[in-house]
Amino acid sequence: MKVVLIGVGQAGGKVTQSLAEFDYNMGFNAVRGALAVNSAKADLQNLDVDTALIGQDRVKGHGVGGDNELGAQIMQENATEVLDNMDGRITTEAEAVVVVAGLGGGTGSGGAPMLVRELKRIYEMPVYTLGILPGDDEGGLYQANAGRSLKTAIRESDSVLLVDNDAWRGSGDSVAEGYKRINDAIAQRIGLLLASGEAVEGVGESVVDSSEIINTLRSGGISAVGYAAAKASEDAEENVNTITSVTRNALLTSMSLPNATDAESALLVIAGDPERLSRKGVERARRWVEDETGSMKVRGGDFPLGSDKIAALVVLSGVERSGRVDKFMEKAKQAAQSQGKDSDPDEFTNDDLDSLM
């Protein structure tokens, strides 16, 4: 699936770089362009992807200090400049644009949904948000920001691929180690998803293509992705249970949004050496995903890849009714109230969360 990445804010820029590097190092060629956008000059200086500094007349390159309303205003005022930077990147080859942002800060939280809206106004292709929720240990401002940003992103995007910052962080990680682990996990999972059907080594029995990804995400709302891998036997028939096992692990223990299993639609991608992939195992795993998610729209297929492992990538779409999202929205509401902000009692519910726009 050929995409263009636009990272907004500090986290968005770093994750965009991680994704672009993963795609390049794996030789997938799914990422056809990458740009990092920020109002803080310092956050752009250590990035290897192309960058664009916005809002200099407002904040002089010092960022918005966690003010996501200001972040949204700056993006609105500078959207034309950002889109001009995309000239030559978003070509007829591109099948989607992915806007990447941490939802708790200022520039990314406020600017990403605004940029998505502008992109959808101009381009016919899908525009997705890859959004990262702040961890439980991050401050109330980040929780409140993310609540409002998420609601706005859901409304503006074709789908929001959501990552809970705590999902892949190790218990003993330092802050820096934690963020690196999260960025690497995002790059691997989203990178494999985007590459499905593009980088084929050998011939699979039923190869996933980009239309199946787009159709899975067409449910809109919130999506989540999970991944697991295990050593494969050289005999495909001996890998029937391996395929089922890695699929269960991907869905039940490794989702970007923990405990999100009820879904409108789903996609199961089994990656590995075609000679080691069992069609019986893939179909059995796909039926298990149907039973577990309650969805009759479960697409599935192979991703032929030279490896001695078998990996399962599970994408769930339409998971906004998950308990994790409800819990997060309640926390966002409490955080806003503790800061003394006036808000409607229903502002941070799934249905009525106040928009940034």
Side-chain angles (χ1 to χ4, degrees), residues 215-235:
N215 286 331
T216 300
L217 297 177
R218 188 162 283 151
S219 300
I222 297 174
S223 301
V225 59
Y227 169 88
K231 189 81 171 178
S233 169
E234 292 185 4
D235 183 352

Side-chain angles (χ1 to χ4, degrees), residues 281-295:
V282 174
E283 183 55 30
R284 179 184 292 179
R286 192 190 65 79
R287 289 198 304 268
W288 179 83
V289 173
E290 280 186 352
D291 293 340
E292 193 69 21
T293 62
S295 171

Side-chain angles (χ1 to χ4, degrees), residues 214-298:
I214 292 170
N215 286 331
T216 300
L217 297 177
R218 188 162 283 151
S219 300
I222 297 174
S223 301
V225 59
Y227 169 88
K231 189 81 171 178
S233 169
E234 292 185 4
D235 183 352
E237 288 306 307
E238 293 181 11
N239 291 324
V240 173
N241 290 337
T242 303
I243 291 172
T244 305
S245 176
V246 293
T247 300
R248 288 176 59 89
N249 288 340
L251 181 60
L252 298 179
T253 68
S254 185
M255 293 300 292
S256 62
L257 192 64
N259 304 318
T261 54
D262 294 335
E264 292 285 330
S265 59
L267 173 67
L268 171 64
V269 181
I270 302 298
D273 185 331
E275 297 298 321
R276 304 186 187 206
L277 296 182
S278 160
R279 171 54 35 200
K280 177 181 177 181
V282 174
E283 183 55 30
R284 179 184 292 179
R286 192 190 65 79
R287 289 198 304 268
W288 179 83
V289 173
E290 280 186 352
D291 293 340
E292 193 69 21
T293 62
S295 171
M296 297 304 293
K297 302 177 190 174
V298 179

Side-chain angles (χ1 to χ4, degrees), residues 10-338:
Q10 183 184 44
K14 288 182 177 180
V15 172
T16 293
Q17 177 161 305
S18 294
L19 270 167
E21 287 177 348
F22 178 84
D23 182 78
Y24 176 81
N25 291 335
M26 294 294 291
F28 290 152
N29 202 28
V31 175
R32 296 307 175 96
L35 178 72
V37 182
N38 209 326
S39 62
K41 186 176 182 179
D43 292 338
L44 297 174
Q45 291 176 339
N46 294 322
L47 298 178
D48 295 326
V49 297
D50 292 336
T51 62
L53 180 64
I54 60 173
Q56 294 183 71
D57 55 333
R58 287 274 207 127
V59 296
K60 312 301 182 187
H62 297 300
V64 298
D67 185 342
N68 65 351
E69 290 185 3
L70 179 57
Q73 291 167 13
I74 286 176
M75 182 60 76
Q76 183 176 30
E77 294 164 2
N78 292 265
T80 301
E81 177 187 339
V82 174
L83 294 174
D84 285 346
N85 272 279
M86 301 312 298
D87 283 350
R89 303 175 199 273
I90 303 180
T91 66
T92 54
E93 276 195 329
E95 296 170 280
V97 180
V98 181
V99 176
V100 187
L103 300 183
T107 305
S109 171
M114 184 65 70
L115 180 58
V116 169
R117 184 170 72 172
E118 291 301 305
L119 288 164
K120 285 184 63 65
R121 187 174 60 83
I122 296 172
Y123 297 102
E124 294 294 326
M125 69 186 71
V127 181
Y128 305 120
T129 296
L130 172 55
I132 303 152
L133 290 178
D136 282 341
D137 58 348
E138 297 186 53
L141 173 64
Y142 286 84
Q143 308 295 329
N145 278 354
R148 297 182 68 199
S149 181
L150 177 58
K151 178 67 179 194
T152 313
I154 291 170
R155 190 188 70 194
E156 301 297 333
S157 310
D158 286 291
S159 183
V160 177
L161 285 155
L162 195 60
V163 177
D164 185 338
N165 233 346
D166 291 330
W168 298 323
R169 182 184 295 175
S171 58
D173 285 344
S174 67
V175 173
E177 291 169 341
Y179 286 135
K180 185 180 186 306
R181 184 192 296 270
I182 293 162
N183 289 353
D184 289 347
I186 293 171
Q188 182 186 51
R189 288 152 173 80
I190 303 301
L192 286 172
L193 172 63
L194 298 179
S196 296
E198 293 297 329
V200 176
E201 299 179 16
V203 179
E205 292 190 38
S206 178
V207 177
V208 173
D209 63 29
S210 57
S211 66
E212 291 172 289
I213 301 172
I214 292 170
N215 286 331
T216 300
L217 297 177
R218 188 162 283 151
S219 300
I222 297 174
S223 301
V225 59
Y227 169 88
K231 189 81 171 178
S233 169
E234 292 185 4
D235 183 352
E237 288 306 307
E238 293 181 11
N239 291 324
V240 173
N241 290 337
T242 303
I243 291 172
T244 305
S245 176
V246 293
T247 300
R248 288 176 59 89
N249 288 340
L251 181 60
L252 298 179
T253 68
S254 185
M255 293 300 292
S256 62
L257 192 64
N259 304 318
T261 54
D262 294 335
E264 292 285 330
S265 59
L267 173 67
L268 171 64
V269 181
I270 302 298
D273 185 331
E275 297 298 321
R276 304 186 187 206
L277 296 182
S278 160
R279 171 54 35 200
K280 177 181 177 181
V282 174
E283 183 55 30
R284 179 184 292 179
R286 192 190 65 79
R287 289 198 304 268
W288 179 83
V289 173
E290 280 186 352
D291 293 340
E292 193 69 21
T293 62
S295 171
M296 297 304 293
K297 302 177 190 174
V298 179
R299 299 169 177 86
D302 309 342
F303 181 7
L305 193 64
S307 175
D308 62 354
K309 293 183 178 181
I310 287 177
L313 188 73
V314 178
V315 182
L316 304 182
S317 184
V319 296
E320 54 269 19
R321 296 302 172 199
S322 77
R324 175 66 183 104
V325 174
D326 289 337
K327 180 181 176 182
F328 177 79
M329 291 301 191
E330 178 60 30
K331 183 190 277 187
K333 174 182 175 181
Q334 293 173 1
Q337 291 174 343
S338 70

